[in-house]
Structures are given as C-alpha cells and as structure tokens.
Amino acid sequence: MGLTSDDTELGMMLPLRSGLSIAEYQQTLVEEFGEAVFEDIPAMLCSEKSAEGLGDAVIFSADSNDSGAHFYFDGCESESLLFRLKGVFAREDYKKALIFVELGDFIFMFFSDLKYLFEGRYCFDVPRMIYRRASRRAKRVRLEGAITLRKVGGVEMVGQLHDFSPSGASFFAPRGSYQPGENVLAEFTIADCGTCETVVTVVRVQEEGAPAGQCLVGIRMSLTRDQKKRAEHLYLCKKAEEIQKRPEYSRNTRIF
C-alpha cells in the first residue's frame, strides 16, 4: 500500500505491518488512539458527511502478509458500512478485518466482518467498539523546501518537500529510489525557518498522482529531544506563516 497526498494521507499515517496479525497490529496503535468508544458508533460513522462518500479508508485482512488496501468509505446502509475500492487490488477474504476510516477531523479504528461483496461495494458489519483520535491532517503544513537524504554507503540525494509535521513528512523523489522500511539520514532545509537533521524511516511510496518519473515518499522521523525541539520549531515557523496567509487572519487581527 503506497498512499498519501490530500486524499490518501490516512495510509501514510499508518506504520508498516511487518508480518503482525491484525490483533497485534491493532495493539501497536491502541495507545495512540486512546480509550475505546462503545456508544453512539452509528452516529459517528454514519454522518451526512460520510454518506457523501468523502471518507478515506484503509482495510487490512487477517493475512499477516497483507499490507492493506485503500478504499472510499461510502457511508452506511441498513446497519452496514459500505466501501468502494480506491486502488487496483484488494483481497476478498475480509471475514475478519481491521479498518481505519478518516472522517473530518478524526480517524476511527475498529474490527469488522465482511458481510458480502456486490457490484464493487464491500459491505461490513457496524462495529460494537471503535477507537478514535484526532487526524494529523490539520497538523501537516504544505511547504516549499529541500530534503537531503544520505543512504548507507554515502549515496546522497536531494528531494523536494511536499508537507511536514513534527513527526513525519513527505517529499518527491525519482521512482525506484526508496522502499518502505528503509532507514536514511535526512536533513530538512526550510527557507526562513532553519534546518533539522535526523534518521527517518520510509513508511509509504506512492507513484499515483506524482509528477512523471517521480513518486511521493512518506517518512517517519526518529527524533532525540533536541531534534524534536528543532523539528517543532520548523513546523511552528511554517504553521504561523500559513495562518498569516489565511483571509480570516487579517480580519481577526485588525485593530479597531
């Protein structure tokens, strides 16, 4: 699964499964999601927004080798959750599945069973328990900047940053340059804000939607305390710049 960009950012947020069962994989993420929710689940998932087909989803089968498939979440119908495949390949053995859905400002994680597949639509049971956390979408900032990457052996490449957060980023690079799970040394250079150097892990590689001959690479950063402070400085620097460009900023900061 190689997912990112505006409508595929959910996939980039998820770590590599690395051969874990869906129960083990879910447990690695529970702490990040917080407490389980047992009430008002249909109200959370079956909102008007989700009924418009605006939800982004990633579904993992019970097969430990399954790295996930990308779907559209089409909302609810007759106490069921409906999904449409967004990529070109998906499994049909979703009797037991771990599902991630991004709706608005939240990401939901839950187990569900496939009820049936009909005319390209996957119908799943409404879960009895879900986990929810705020989406990182709002935490990422688009920016123009360079990222210098140094591989083992001294090979150095320079990529163009796409977006950035205190814990991860994405950048454009020539196709075939990087593979999920690869560790490299990265140096971020952001104009008027500064630089930050750290070890990063490639978590996603997407060719779809990238410029010709390029791919969009998603990375997760491994930061020391000092590096984290520097990364947060870069992020806040660009976030402040982004906020100041919004039309409502000049209205809200006007002195009367």
Side-chain angles (χ1 to χ4, degrees):
M1 181 177 56
L3 315 170
T4 184
S5 81
D6 275 352
D7 64 341
T8 59
E9 201 164 340
L10 170 62
M12 191 180 128
M13 294 173 184
L14 300 175
L16 292 172
R17 184 172 177 179
S18 302
L20 298 175
S21 70
I22 54 174
E24 292 169 330
Y25 186 62
Q26 185 250 22
Q27 283 300 304
T28 66
L29 297 167
V30 163
E31 184 176 348
E32 183 177 347
F33 275 76
E35 296 183 1
V37 178
F38 296 89
E39 299 178 353
D40 301 323
I41 292 176
M44 292 182 185
L45 297 177
C46 304
S47 65
E48 181 178 353
K49 175 172 284 191
S50 67
E52 296 173 356
L54 298 180
D56 187 40
V58 176
I59 301 178
F60 293 86
S61 73
D63 184 346
S64 61
N65 293 316
D66 177 22
S67 59
H70 196 181
F71 287 79
Y72 293 106
F73 177 49
D74 277 350
C76 306
E77 184 177 287
S78 301
E79 299 183 354
S80 299
L81 307 180
L82 302 178
F83 297 85
R84 284 180 295 118
L85 181 63
K86 191 171 186 179
V88 296
F89 173 78
R91 298 172 179 268
E92 296 184 8
D93 55 340
Y94 287 123
K95 178 58 180 174
K96 295 291 183 182
L98 177 61
I99 301 176
F100 297 84
V101 176
E102 183 174 15
L103 293 173
D105 294 330
F106 293 95
I107 294 177
F108 300 90
M109 174 178 70
F110 52 88
F111 290 109
S112 185
D113 296 338
L114 178 66
K115 299 171 70 173
Y116 60 84
L117 171 60
F118 180 70
E119 293 184 347
R121 302 185 95 183
Y122 292 72
C123 178
F124 284 84
D125 288 325
V126 175
R128 296 180 180 180
M129 178 186 74
I130 64 175
Y131 290 87
R132 184 182 75 168
R133 71 162 173 79
S135 169
R136 292 193 188 118
R137 181 186 301 272
K139 297 182 180 180
R140 288 186 175 271
V141 289
R142 291 294 181 86
L143 51 79
E144 292 183 359
I147 177 171
T148 302
L149 301 112
R150 299 176 181 88
K151 293 189 174 188
V152 176
V155 177
E156 182 175 297
M157 299 184 68
V158 178
Q160 179 66 37
L161 281 167
H162 176 65
D163 61 24
F164 181 86
S165 79
S167 60
S170 66
F171 62 93
F172 291 106
R175 292 186 179 183
S177 300
Y178 300 96
Q179 297 296 323
E182 187 174 0
N183 293 317
V184 296
L185 181 65
E187 181 179 358
F188 303 89
T189 302
I190 300 175
D192 301 322
C193 291
T195 63
C196 177
E197 185 177 71
T198 183
V199 175
V200 302
T201 301
V202 177
V203 294
R204 293 288 181 270
V205 178
Q206 179 195 348
E207 295 182 358
E208 180 182 357
Q214 299 280 302
C215 62
L216 191 58
V217 181
I219 54 175
R220 183 174 61 245
M221 293 186 274
S222 301
L223 301 169
T224 64
R225 180 177 298 180
D226 289 341
Q227 289 171 334
K228 184 177 180 180
K229 289 181 180 179
R230 187 173 294 275
E232 288 175 346
H233 166 74
L234 295 182
Y235 169 76
L236 292 173
C237 175
K238 294 306 293 187
K239 193 68 174 179
E241 180 181 303
E242 179 184 86
I243 292 173
Q244 291 171 8
K245 290 180 179 178
R246 295 175 182 172
E248 63 268 26
Y249 175 81
S250 58
R251 295 195 299 269
N252 295 338
T253 55
R254 185 180 302 169
I255 300 176
F256 293 94

